[in-house]
């Protein structure tokens, strides 16, 4: 089998060399490339490949058209909205992901965002650096707040567990039934938005969830509530969210994701809103998560080579 890795996995050379040696000992060829988003370059690199591996770099549809031998796309990421999944299915190409590798990393960052927003960390830090004080910026505790989890999968449930440890009440919206000790009630999206002091998004990006948090939904939230998005940028209506923040319809937001991968254009509306934390898609990016991700994605490969696809999308 010809196996192609289209971008780095954020782990040491020793880890990559270990897997390369194992694959070569099994009689396969393994080639790792530097990241390149040019569809023509991608297509050329994958032309004779049986397996393509990548992380969150968009994979062009033309790659599938050029790679006539392709049998598996092994994605070192949880979401697969950057992969032409429907076309892969049509062509009989398997797709596996690395679900679970960043559950703890994302959940911890969400808690950090909650505390930063409630305690006005961004603004008080700015004041401190400029010789100011905390006057008028006394914050609030996370303890006792109602946290609304939108999308109660593995990450949403882990956020719920950490919130309960802080003494929060937790409600959740999910399209499937949810039963978890850290979640007090499963409610409709409208109920969640009305009741929650903190709304945390953990749903995948699909045609059903694209723009699901828009002007009407933001209008249901408390003026004192904050929104956290570590899911996908397009789950929210960016212009509606920026307007809600600028007009004080909600108290703040933390956005780790945008409609496109960073770098973000300097005029992006969310970069210029009050009480808004913006980070360039860091939720998954811990050293521990990168190591776990690499192990999962290579185990996906070894299982598939052994005749059994795991973590199938």
């Amino acid at each position: 089998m010809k196996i192609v890795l289209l971008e780095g996995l954020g782990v040491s050379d020793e880890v990559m060399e270990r897997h390369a040696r194992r694959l070569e000992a099994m009689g396969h060829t393994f080639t790792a490339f530097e990241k390149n988003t040019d569809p023509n370059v991608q297509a050329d690199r994958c032309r004779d490949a049986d397996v393509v591996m990548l992380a969150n770099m968009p994979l062009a549809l033309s790659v599938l058209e050029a790679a006539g031998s392709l049998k598996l796309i092994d994605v070192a990421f949880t979401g697969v909205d950057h992969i032409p999944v429907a076309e892969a299915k049509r062509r009989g190409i398997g797709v596996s992901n690395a679900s679970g590798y960043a559950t703890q990393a994302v959940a911890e960052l969400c808690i950090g965002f909650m505390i930063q927003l409630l305690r006005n960390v961004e603004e008080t830090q700015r004041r401190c650096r400029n010789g100011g004080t905390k006057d008028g910026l006394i914050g609030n505790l996370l303890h006792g707040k109602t946290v609304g989890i939108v999308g109660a999968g593995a990450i949403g449930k882990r956020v719920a567990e950490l919130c309960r440890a802080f003494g929060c009440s937790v409600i959740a919206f999910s399209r499937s039934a949810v039963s978890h000790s850290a979640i007090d009630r499963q409610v409709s999206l409208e109920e969640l938005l009305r009741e929650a002091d903190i709304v945390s998004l953990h749903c995948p990006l699909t045609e059903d969830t694209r723009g699901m948090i828009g002007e009407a939904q933001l209008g249901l939230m408390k003026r004192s509530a904050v929104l956290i998005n570590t899911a996908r940028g397009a789950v929210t209506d960016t212009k509606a969210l920026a307007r809600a923040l600028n007009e004080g319809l909600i108290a703040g937001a933390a956005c780790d994701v945008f409609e496109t991968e960073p770098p973000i254009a300097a005029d992006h509306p969310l970069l210029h809103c009050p009480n808004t934390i913006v980070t360039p898609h860091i939720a998954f990016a811990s050293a521990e998560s990168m190591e776990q991700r690499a192990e999962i994605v290579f185990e996906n490969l070894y299982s598939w080579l052994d005749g059994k696809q795991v973590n199938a999308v």
Side-chain angles (χ1 to χ4, degrees):
M1 293 286 181
K2 178 179 178 181
I3 301 157
V4 171
L5 174 63
L6 291 179
E7 60 180 316
L9 296 179
V11 294
S12 67
D13 291 342
E14 289 77 13
V15 169
M16 295 304 301
E17 288 168 4
R18 171 166 54 86
H19 288 294
R21 287 195 299 270
R22 178 176 173 180
L23 289 167
E24 289 164 3
M26 295 167 67
H28 308 296
T29 63
F30 176 73
T31 306
F33 292 102
E34 291 293 321
K35 180 176 180 178
N36 191 311
T37 58
D38 185 332
N40 293 323
V41 173
Q42 291 181 0
D44 186 59
R45 290 173 172 180
C46 299
R47 196 165 304 280
D48 300 319
D50 298 285
V51 178
V52 167
M53 304 172 71
L54 75 164
N56 65 332
M57 177 178 66
L59 185 68
L61 179 62
S62 57
V63 173
L64 274 61
E65 296 168 347
S69 301
L70 189 59
K71 303 174 183 67
L72 177 70
I73 302 172
D74 195 4
V75 186
F77 214 61
T78 302
V80 292
D81 49 281
H82 59 301
I83 303 295
V85 174
E87 181 63 17
K89 182 178 180 180
R90 193 183 74 79
R91 292 172 178 265
I93 301 167
V95 180
S96 290
N97 70 355
S99 179
Y101 80 94
T103 298
Q104 184 68 20
V106 177
E108 287 188 11
L109 187 67
C110 285
I111 297 298
F113 281 158
M114 293 177 192
I115 293 172
Q116 287 185 74
L117 288 168
L118 291 170
R119 300 299 295 271
N120 300 307
V121 170
E122 291 288 300
E123 178 61 18
T124 52
Q125 178 182 222
R126 187 187 66 79
R127 284 193 187 181
C128 190
R129 291 181 182 277
N130 291 299
T133 71
K134 65 183 182 302
D135 291 352
L137 288 174
I138 301 301
N140 295 280
L141 296 180
L142 179 54
H143 178 86
K145 298 296 181 291
T146 297
V147 177
I149 304 293
V150 179
I155 295 174
K157 288 173 181 172
R158 185 57 182 148
V159 172
E161 291 169 352
L162 296 181
C163 288
R164 285 296 293 270
F166 276 87
C168 299
S169 299
V170 181
I171 57 178
F173 166 72
S174 178
R175 286 184 167 83
S176 56
V178 178
S179 178
H180 193 275
S181 59
I183 296 173
D184 297 302
R185 287 182 294 126
Q186 184 172 357
V187 298
S188 68
L189 180 59
E190 291 74 17
E191 289 176 276
L192 183 147
L193 293 170
R194 287 191 181 100
E195 294 182 28
D197 300 300
I198 300 163
V199 175
S200 193
L201 305 180
H202 301 286
C203 49
L205 179 62
T206 66
E207 288 310 306
D208 289 334
T209 63
R210 186 179 298 274
M212 71 182 295
I213 305 297
E215 184 175 356
Q217 291 73 30
L218 292 162
L220 296 175
M221 292 174 62
K222 302 175 182 178
R223 283 184 172 264
S224 59
V226 298
L227 177 74
I228 294 171
N229 189 3
T230 56
R232 287 291 183 270
V235 170
T236 65
D237 179 332
T238 293
K239 292 181 179 178
L241 177 55
R243 187 161 53 249
L245 289 162
N246 288 325
E247 295 178 5
L249 301 180
I250 64 173
C255 299
D256 184 51
V257 286
F258 304 88
E259 301 89 340
T260 59
E261 282 295 301
I264 303 302
D267 62 351
H268 192 285
L270 291 177
L271 301 185
H272 307 283
C273 295
N275 201 26
T276 302
I277 300 169
V278 291
T279 50
H281 205 173
I282 67 168
F284 69 94
S286 71
E288 295 87 348
S289 297
M290 295 299 95
E291 291 178 5
Q292 186 176 3
R293 179 178 76 165
E295 291 307 311
I296 292 172
V297 77
F298 276 106
E299 284 305 317
N300 287 349
L301 175 59
Y302 298 136
S303 293
W304 182 82
L305 289 170
D306 201 34
K308 180 181 178 183
Q309 186 183 359
V310 297
N311 292 319
V313 175

